[in-house]
Amino acid sequence: MTNTTAPFANLVGQQQIKSRLSFSLQAHKAGRQFPFFCFVGAHGNGKTAFIRELAKNTFDGPNRRKYFEINAANIKNLDWFINNVYRPHIQDRFATILVDEMHELPKSIQTWMLTLLNTEKSPVRRVVYDDAEIEFDFLKQSLFFATTEPNKILKPLKNRMEIVGMAPYSKEELAEIIQLNVPDVDFQDNVLLEVVDSLKPSPRAAELMARKISDFCAIKGRKEFDLADFVNLSHMADIKMHGLDNVELQILKILDERGAMTLTELSACLSISSSALRQDHEHHLLKKGFLRIDGKRMLSSKGKEVAKNLK
């Protein structure tokens, strides 16, 4: 029996993506193959949630297709992919496969996939493996991809995919995600907007916050949640302002005390690698407008104000 709920109705935001995927679902029901979608966005921005929902609404006759996820970092070589993904989950089956963190695929497999994801009109593709041909039928099987670093995918391969970029979530959307995850809690005093201001702006962060609020209400034995409750929860659960973590707070303090610094200098002060600083911490500070990079790292006027409040 097929799903009668509108596809993606339980997911918040991303209206353009919902429209594009709904169109592909209709085309699939009319006998067309799915594009090779590659979802692009930061960690926690809902890429996997949308692919899972797409898979949940994909049927062949009365039966929902089997859905399988694999992290590309686990795919060591082509033999591993054939023996652990293709043969048990794809060959002669109706299946939907997500290859997550696709940029982690070895370049040899990305090159091999150039033939698999070619631009032929036929949905049936035959590719060489071990001196023989193996077959993919993209009316029966769908390959989707997700990545946080599309720049690391071979350009010719990326050109054969349809890139689906996740849009930023508004404060209102993040508040809606929290409310949906704790439907029995009555939020008062516009507290949800204060809560959202303490998040990194992603659905995953909103869901984690909803769990903390649910736990707090269970501890207190109540179903209302107001500004005083949020202050109390912040102390109990170590929730920092502006969604900052301890490393980001240290960055603000060090730059406030010492002034502009190179990435190497900041890395040495924090005993954290330069790549970890760039990838895991600077992005959020830049997004919040607290950090400026002009050869060196320095605080913006907003960053200085936040650092002053830390003293």
Side-chain angles (χ1 to χ4, degrees):
M1 185 172 180
T2 58
N3 186 8
T4 56
T5 305
F8 316 107
N10 62 322
L11 298 177
V12 174
Q14 308 295 337
Q15 294 306 316
Q16 291 183 328
I17 292 176
K18 288 178 179 179
S19 177
R20 178 66 187 94
L21 298 184
S22 295
F23 174 76
S24 285
L25 277 171
Q26 293 177 53
H28 166 69
K29 291 174 183 176
R32 312 291 289 184
Q33 76 175 66
F34 282 107
F36 301 115
F37 287 126
C38 182
F39 287 70
V40 173
H43 291 294
N45 262 23
K47 301 183 297 296
T48 304
F50 272 88
I51 297 170
R52 287 173 181 166
E53 192 68 15
L54 179 61
K56 191 172 79 174
N57 286 276
T58 302
F59 294 82
D60 286 287
N63 300 315
R64 182 176 289 145
R65 281 190 185 184
K66 181 180 179 182
Y67 175 62
F68 178 72
E69 293 180 10
I70 179 68
N71 190 299
N74 294 324
I75 302 174
K76 305 304 181 186
N77 50 51
L78 185 54
D79 287 342
W80 195 99
F81 177 79
I82 297 299
N83 293 317
N84 292 278
V85 179
Y86 174 76
R87 285 180 174 147
H89 301 291
I90 299 176
Q91 187 174 26
D92 299 325
R93 289 171 172 81
F94 289 96
T96 299
I97 309 296
L98 164 62
V99 180
D100 200 8
E101 295 300 348
M102 198 259 181
H103 63 276
E104 297 277 5
L105 278 179
K107 290 295 187 285
S108 59
I109 297 182
Q110 292 192 38
T111 302
W112 180 80
M113 281 189 168
L114 286 171
T115 302
L116 180 61
L117 273 60
N118 63 32
T119 55
E120 290 179 13
K121 292 184 178 179
S122 170
V124 177
R125 312 289 168 83
R126 295 178 178 88
V127 288
V128 174
Y129 168 71
D130 199 20
D131 296 326
E133 282 189 332
I134 60 173
E135 182 178 285
F136 290 75
D137 184 346
F138 290 121
L139 289 180
K140 295 168 61 176
Q141 298 127 11
S142 300
L143 275 178
F144 301 134
F145 306 90
T147 182
T148 54
E149 300 184 60
N151 56 299
K152 293 185 178 180
I153 301 172
L154 290 178
K155 189 172 181 180
L157 182 59
K158 187 164 58 175
N159 289 342
R160 296 180 188 191
M161 303 173 180
E162 182 168 331
I163 303 299
V164 180
M166 306 297 291
Y169 285 80
S170 68
K171 288 186 176 183
E172 291 75 19
E173 288 169 341
L174 293 171
E176 185 180 350
I177 290 170
I178 294 173
Q179 181 71 82
L180 286 171
N181 279 272
V182 279
D184 296 332
V185 173
D186 180 16
F187 290 96
Q188 301 176 352
D189 305 332
N190 290 321
V191 66
L192 265 180
L193 292 181
E194 292 289 331
V195 172
V196 166
D197 222 26
S198 73
L199 296 177
K200 285 186 167 62
S202 73
R204 185 180 298 165
E207 290 168 0
L208 291 173
M209 180 62 74
R211 189 180 306 165
K212 291 177 182 177
I213 292 170
S214 179
D215 290 345
F216 177 87
C217 290
I219 292 168
K220 298 296 183 180
R222 52 189 305 216
K223 293 189 175 181
E224 296 81 24
F225 190 82
D226 58 23
L227 285 169
D229 292 320
F230 182 52
V231 172
N232 194 0
L233 173 61
S234 296
H235 289 302
M236 294 172 67
D238 192 29
I239 297 169
K240 307 286 197 305
M241 60 182 180
H242 306 299
L244 300 172
D245 61 27
N246 287 325
V247 173
E248 289 153 0
L249 289 172
Q250 288 237 20
I251 291 171
L252 294 180
K253 288 179 181 178
I254 289 172
L255 291 178
D256 183 51
E257 292 169 359
R258 304 191 185 187
M261 303 178 75
T262 66
L263 179 61
T264 302
E265 290 169 336
L266 191 57
S267 171
C269 285
L270 292 163
S271 298
I272 294 174
S273 71
S274 299
S275 59
L277 277 178
R278 277 198 311 267
Q279 296 170 16
D280 299 330
H281 302 289
E282 285 189 347
H283 179 73
H284 182 58
L285 292 172
L286 288 166
K287 203 167 187 178
K288 296 293 287 187
F290 299 157
L291 182 69
R292 290 173 48 221
I293 300 178
D294 185 9
K296 292 186 175 184
R297 274 65 181 163
M298 62 194 77
L299 295 184
S300 67
S301 56
K302 286 175 66 176
K304 290 176 182 177
E305 191 66 32
V306 173
K308 186 169 68 174
N309 292 331
L310 296 175
K311 294 178 180 178

